[in-house]
């Protein structure tokens, strides 16, 4: 398996989410009475070829390669002209929010899972037209990420699921096997520690919204969650979440994970040198990063993927993400925009994009293609998409997640109990609210 370095670098995405949330406050935009975007219904889209000018805004490395898809689309739709603007990732949300306010939007964008709720809450995006695509064709967790109050605002483009990536050679030397549950993860780490690995597990110790996101995955494995099912109340200090934080922090307390790292971009070097032996809740793109750092074939010889361990009662939960196509309400050519989004969700185009960029399909049928079906490691990722969980779908999530991350650090470094830390996070989250 080979996965390119993508724009899902966590520090950059955090910046985008913060800018998007701040922009909502600056523009005075809130969640519309219908619960999200600017329109709860969109005009039906027919099967005729797309026509006219189609302006697409892109961000990140994904966008740089996207024009490779345009030739086939324009061959099938000869009367459409596509123009694409690449916007720097760190500026994307602010430029887009400004464009929504000024009414100078593009016809089509794609948004990452982390920022979709904030963008939808601006009231500047149209609902996915009825019958444009079949929601059941997509992995449920990716489709649901852009659904607000039963209205979908995005058509998924690609998806990924985080896994346990571990050094097979170090595990073999320690006589341990890939963990399947919480008890197994501790046994795995203790065995590696006894064999001489300094910090067996790489946890996300940045103490920010992404640390909170990792805790959310462990909480879900323990039957918990940070927000009620109807997205109306924070549930951060539930007993299940407290237990999950106690479990997560225990690895640092016992020297099985470092409280100081690795930093995101140091993860490969720590695992390559054997300072860590396993990346917990790591994206599949790490696999190719190991080859980039150590030479082609190094990852295949030294790294394997395993599903995230299940919780004490067998509950499975996986961190997932991806990108979805979204059409601004003021798009000048919504018809062509939706037709392009529909075309990109065809299994053949999903596979082609995987071949170009190695972003994994959001459409389930695409995984039956031999290009993916014959890769045992990719099948682990596919299984993870079936157990994926969504982030809280409120525009204040990044702000609340940052608070949770800060409280997690107090548990790790300051001797604060998990209960007291999450009680404090709960109080701050209630003060921040939902952003609606």
């Amino acid at each position: 398996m080979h996965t390119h370095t993508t724009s899902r670098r966590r520090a950059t995405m955090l910046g985008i989410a913060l800018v998007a949330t701040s922009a909502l406050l600056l523009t005075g935009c809130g969640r519309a009475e219908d619960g999200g975007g600017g329109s709860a219904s969109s005009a039906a889209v027919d099967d005729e070829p797309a026509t006219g000018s189609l302006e697409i805004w892109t961000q990140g490395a994904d966008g740089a390669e996207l024009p490779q898809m345009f030739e086939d689309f324009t061959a099938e739709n000869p009367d459409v002209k596509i123009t694409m603007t690449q916007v720097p990732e760190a500026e994307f949300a602010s430029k887009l929010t400004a464009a929504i306010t000024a009414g100078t939007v593009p016809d089509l964008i794609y948004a990452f899972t982390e920022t979709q709720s904030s963008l939808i809450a601006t009231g500047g995006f149209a609902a996915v037209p009825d019958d444009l695509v079949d929601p059941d064709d997509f992995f449920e967790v990716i489709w649901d990420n852009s659904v607000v109050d039963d209205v979908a605002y995005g058509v998924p483009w690609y998806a990924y699921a985080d896994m346990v990536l571990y050094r097979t050679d170090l595990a073999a030397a320690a006589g341990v096997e890939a963990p399947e549950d919480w008890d197994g993860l501790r046994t795995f780490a203790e065995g590696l520690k006894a064999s001489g690995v300094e910090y067996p597990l790489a946890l996300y110790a940045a103490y920010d919204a992404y640390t909170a996101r990792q805790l959310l995955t462990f909480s879900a494995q323990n039957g918990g969650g940070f927000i009620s099912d109807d997205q109306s109340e924070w549930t951060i200090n539930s007993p299940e979440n407290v237990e999950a934080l106690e479990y997560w922090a225990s690895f640092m307390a016992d020297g099985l994970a470092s409280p100081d790292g690795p930093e995101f971009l140091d993860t490969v070097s720590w695992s390559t040198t054997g300072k860590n032996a396993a990346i917990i809740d790591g994206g599949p793109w790490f696999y190719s990063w190991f080859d980039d750092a150590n030479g082609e074939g190094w990852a295949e010889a030294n790294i394997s993927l395993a599903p995230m361990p299940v919780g004490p009662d067998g509950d499975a939960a996986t961190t997932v993400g991806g990108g979805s196509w979204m059409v601004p309400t003021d798009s000048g050519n919504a018809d062509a925009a939706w037709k392009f989004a529909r075309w990109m969700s065809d299994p053949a185009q999903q596979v082609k994009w995987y071949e170009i960029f190695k972003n994994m399909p959001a459409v389930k049928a695409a995984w039956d293609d031999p290009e993916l079906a014959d890769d045992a490691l990719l099948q682990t990722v596919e299984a993870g998409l079936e157990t994926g969980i969504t982030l809280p779908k409120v525009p204040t999530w990044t702000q609340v997640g940052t608070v949770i991350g800060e409280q997690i650090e107090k548990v790790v470094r300051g001797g604060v109990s998990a209960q007291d830390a999450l009680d404090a996070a709960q109080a701050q989250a209630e003060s921040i609210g939902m952003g609606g």
Side-chain angles (χ1 to χ4, degrees):
M1 181 185 71
H2 182 74
T3 307
H4 285 233
T5 303
T6 75
S7 54
R8 296 180 299 272
R9 295 177 186 255
R10 296 188 175 198
T12 304
M13 286 307 307
L14 174 58
I16 292 174
L18 285 169
V19 170
T21 302
S22 299
L24 292 175
L25 299 175
L26 290 172
T27 59
C29 294
R31 183 168 294 183
E33 290 183 3
D34 64 8
S39 174
S41 61
S42 296
V45 176
D46 59 33
D47 294 327
E48 296 299 313
T51 61
S53 176
L54 174 60
E55 182 183 3
I56 302 175
W57 280 13
T58 68
Q59 55 182 312
D62 316 61
E65 304 299 331
L66 185 59
Q68 295 186 55
M69 301 296 294
F70 294 166
E71 183 177 352
D72 286 349
F73 183 74
T74 54
E76 297 177 22
N77 301 267
D79 294 327
V80 71
K81 180 181 179 181
I82 300 175
T83 58
M84 189 186 85
T85 301
Q86 286 188 261
V87 180
E89 278 187 82
E91 302 173 15
F92 189 83
S94 60
K95 286 184 178 294
L96 182 59
T97 306
I100 290 170
T101 302
T104 57
V105 294
D107 298 306
L108 180 67
I109 69 154
Y110 63 84
F112 302 116
T113 51
E114 294 89 344
T115 57
Q116 287 171 18
S117 293
S118 294
L119 293 175
I120 292 168
T122 65
F125 290 90
V128 177
D130 292 341
D131 300 323
L132 181 77
V133 293
D134 185 348
D136 291 338
D137 289 344
F138 301 87
F139 289 101
E140 182 178 4
V141 67
I142 301 300
W143 177 266
D144 285 350
N145 195 77
S146 61
V147 174
V148 177
D149 291 341
D150 298 324
V151 178
Y153 293 94
V155 177
W157 177 18
Y158 63 85
Y160 67 88
D162 286 357
M163 299 283 108
V164 176
L165 294 93
Y166 67 98
R167 286 277 301 270
T168 51
D169 54 337
L170 297 180
V176 295
E177 297 182 353
E180 296 182 356
D181 54 28
W182 277 18
D183 288 342
L185 182 58
R186 174 160 281 276
T187 299
F188 178 77
E190 289 173 346
L192 286 161
K193 183 77 171 183
S195 74
V197 178
E198 183 177 4
Y199 294 114
L201 308 183
L203 298 175
Y204 197 71
Y207 309 111
D208 58 9
Y210 284 99
T211 306
R213 180 180 181 176
Q214 185 168 89
L215 177 61
L216 176 59
T217 297
F218 279 91
S219 294
Q221 292 166 1
N222 197 42
F226 290 165
I227 199 168
S228 60
D229 289 344
D230 64 0
Q231 309 286 299
S232 66
E233 293 183 276
W234 294 109
T235 59
I236 296 165
N237 62 344
S238 72
E240 295 83 1
N241 297 341
V242 171
E243 290 175 0
L245 178 52
E246 289 172 344
Y247 174 76
W248 186 91
S250 73
F251 289 106
M252 295 178 178
D254 296 339
L256 302 175
S258 171
D260 302 312
E263 297 288 337
F264 183 53
L265 296 179
D266 293 332
T267 307
V268 169
S269 63
W270 280 39
S271 293
T272 296
T273 60
K275 188 172 184 176
N276 291 141
I279 304 169
I280 305 303
D281 195 27
W285 54 85
F286 274 114
Y287 201 81
S288 68
W289 288 9
F290 282 111
D291 277 359
D292 292 342
N294 301 301
E296 190 72 28
W298 191 92
E300 185 175 357
N302 294 281
I303 301 292
S304 189
L305 299 182
M308 285 290 286
V310 301
D313 294 329
D315 291 333
T318 307
T319 302
V320 298
S324 295
W325 298 105
M326 297 172 63
V327 175
T329 306
D330 292 334
S331 167
N333 194 353
D335 184 75
W338 288 123
K339 286 176 178 177
F340 183 81
R342 179 174 62 191
W343 183 80
M344 287 291 287
S345 70
D346 181 89
Q349 310 312 327
Q350 293 266 298
V351 172
K352 181 177 179 179
W353 181 244
Y354 170 76
E355 292 171 342
I356 291 172
F357 199 75
K358 301 306 179 187
N359 274 344
M360 284 156 277
V363 174
K364 291 181 284 188
W367 288 80
D368 295 332
D369 187 275
E371 180 78 13
L372 293 95
D374 293 343
D375 190 321
L377 294 178
L378 280 178
Q379 298 312 301
T380 303
V381 177
E382 182 184 11
L385 287 167
E386 297 288 1
T387 60
I389 57 170
T390 59
L391 293 168
K393 293 189 286 185
V394 295
T396 57
W397 159 247
T398 298
Q399 188 177 358
V400 171
T402 300
V403 166
I404 296 171
E406 291 168 349
Q407 291 297 328
I408 292 173
E409 185 170 22
K410 293 179 181 179
V411 175
V412 171
R413 301 190 192 279
V416 174
S417 72
Q419 183 70 64
D420 287 347
L422 294 188
D423 282 347
Q426 176 75 23
Q428 292 178 73
E430 290 175 354
S431 177
I432 293 167
M434 303 296 174

